């Protein structure tokens, strides 16, 4: 039970904070239950998102070894990440996510994960549709907003990016992350007054260092 509580707190931290913040909670779950398959899988995802390939593969492989100890939904999660992140069988991972969607149509996770794979393959519109579907299913899913925003910014679809942020703020509030993204849009559109207003807010918060890095890059020659 204590391991499950730590795991749930880790998931909550991911949705409201960051992957980095969730690591200690998932590790605590594994200290309490070393055979907690989904905690291994989740750590694999977190490490992969942070670019730490070796521990990501280790945890995903361990989760795969323990896959018979989990629910059907958890098995889909483990298999999808194992195929995409360990064996690199992307088509097999997408097949797993498609079956997950059919079995659990109100679950946003397979849409987010398939969107990421579509993005990696350069299938931009399919990725956008997948992330948008995840938000439709669960309007409070922070990661889906973040992934969809990144695709809009990548292709300079700034009006869509702003509309997405406005929707996110209505549900999740104007978080420091949202303020930073609004600053980014205003800067790209040459709206210095709005950019400066958000910069003043960001300078007082946890993303002040990020703002400094971005401004340094903007002024470099």
């Amino acid at each position: 039970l204590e391991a499950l509580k730590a795991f749930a707190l880790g998931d909550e931290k991911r949705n409201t904070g960051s992957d980095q913040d969730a690591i200690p909670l998932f590790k605590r779950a594994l200290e309490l239950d070393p055979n907690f398959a989904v905690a291994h899988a989740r750590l694999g995802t977190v490490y992969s998102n942070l670019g730490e390939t070796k521990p990501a593969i280790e945890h995903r492989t361990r989760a795969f070894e323990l896959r018979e100890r989990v629910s059907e939904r958890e098995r889909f999660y483990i298999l999808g990440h194992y195929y995409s992140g360990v064996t690199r069988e992307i088509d097999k991972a997408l097949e797993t996510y498609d079956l997950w969607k059919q079995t659990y149509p109100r679950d946003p996770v397979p849409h987010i994960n398939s969107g990421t794979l579509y993005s990696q393959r350069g299938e931009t519109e399919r990725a956008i549709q997948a992330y948008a579907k995840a938000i439709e299913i669960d309007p409070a899913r922070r990661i889906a907003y973040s992934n969809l925003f990144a695709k809009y910014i990548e292709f300079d679809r700034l009006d869509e990016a702003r509309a997405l942020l406005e929707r996110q703020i209505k549900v999740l509030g104007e978080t420091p992350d949202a303020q930073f993204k609004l600053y980014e849009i205003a800067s790209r559109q040459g709206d210095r007054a709005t950019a400066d207003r958000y910069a003043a807010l960001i300078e007082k918060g946890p993303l002040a260092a990020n703002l400094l890095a971005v401004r340094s890059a903007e002024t470099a020659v």
Side-chain angles (χ1 to χ4, degrees):
L1 182 59
E2 291 303 314
L4 187 59
K5 287 180 180 178
F7 177 82
L9 287 171
D11 268 350
E12 182 180 344
K13 183 64 72 173
R14 283 194 75 206
N15 198 43
T16 59
S18 69
D19 282 328
Q20 187 70 55
D21 293 337
I23 288 177
L25 292 161
F26 292 137
K27 283 187 172 181
R28 176 60 179 160
L30 288 175
E31 288 173 6
L32 294 164
D33 181 2
N35 292 324
F36 196 161
V38 184
H40 279 292
R42 199 75 91 240
L43 263 179
T45 299
V46 167
Y47 280 125
S48 177
N49 289 345
L50 295 173
E52 299 184 41
T53 304
K54 186 174 184 294
I57 289 175
E58 289 173 353
H59 283 289
R60 284 173 168 173
T61 300
R62 183 57 181 151
F64 182 78
E65 293 168 351
L66 296 166
R67 68 191 182 280
E68 299 306 323
R69 301 162 56 98
V70 303
S71 69
E72 182 179 39
R73 179 186 177 280
E74 291 167 338
R75 190 174 296 112
F76 283 139
Y77 184 90
I78 289 169
L79 291 175
H81 282 297
Y82 181 77
Y83 293 141
S84 64
V86 179
T87 64
R88 303 304 299 168
E89 298 173 275
I90 304 303
D91 287 339
K92 206 167 182 178
L94 286 170
E95 289 172 7
T96 300
Y97 293 139
D98 285 343
L99 183 57
W100 185 349
K101 294 172 194 174
Q102 294 167 25
T103 309
Y104 299 95
R106 300 307 302 166
D107 192 336
V109 175
H111 296 278
I112 295 170
N113 292 347
S114 61
T116 299
L117 296 181
Y118 290 138
S119 181
Q120 291 172 359
R121 299 206 307 192
E123 299 179 49
T124 301
E125 288 305 320
R126 294 186 76 178
I128 286 173
Q129 290 169 11
Y131 295 141
K133 182 64 176 179
I135 294 169
E136 177 187 323
I137 294 171
D138 182 2
R141 187 66 60 149
R142 181 188 62 82
I143 293 173
Y145 286 107
S146 181
N147 289 355
L148 182 51
F149 179 84
K151 297 310 297 181
Y152 284 150
I153 288 295
E154 180 182 353
F155 292 94
D156 207 34
R157 294 163 63 164
L158 301 182
D159 289 339
E160 289 168 285
R162 181 181 292 279
L164 177 69
L165 276 177
E166 290 172 353
R167 181 178 180 183
Q168 177 182 341
I169 289 168
K170 284 182 180 179
V171 178
L172 300 175
E174 191 172 286
T175 62
D177 176 68
Q179 291 172 349
F180 194 90
K181 289 173 178 174
L182 287 166
Y183 165 82
E184 185 176 0
I185 291 174
S187 294
R188 284 172 173 262
Q189 292 181 326
D191 183 352
R192 293 314 314 171
T194 301
D196 289 344
R197 178 162 59 87
Y198 280 109
L201 294 172
I202 296 165
E203 286 172 347
K204 301 173 184 176
L207 299 181
N210 302 58
L211 177 65
L212 181 61
V214 168
R215 284 188 152 179
S216 296
E218 288 173 348
T219 57
V221 293

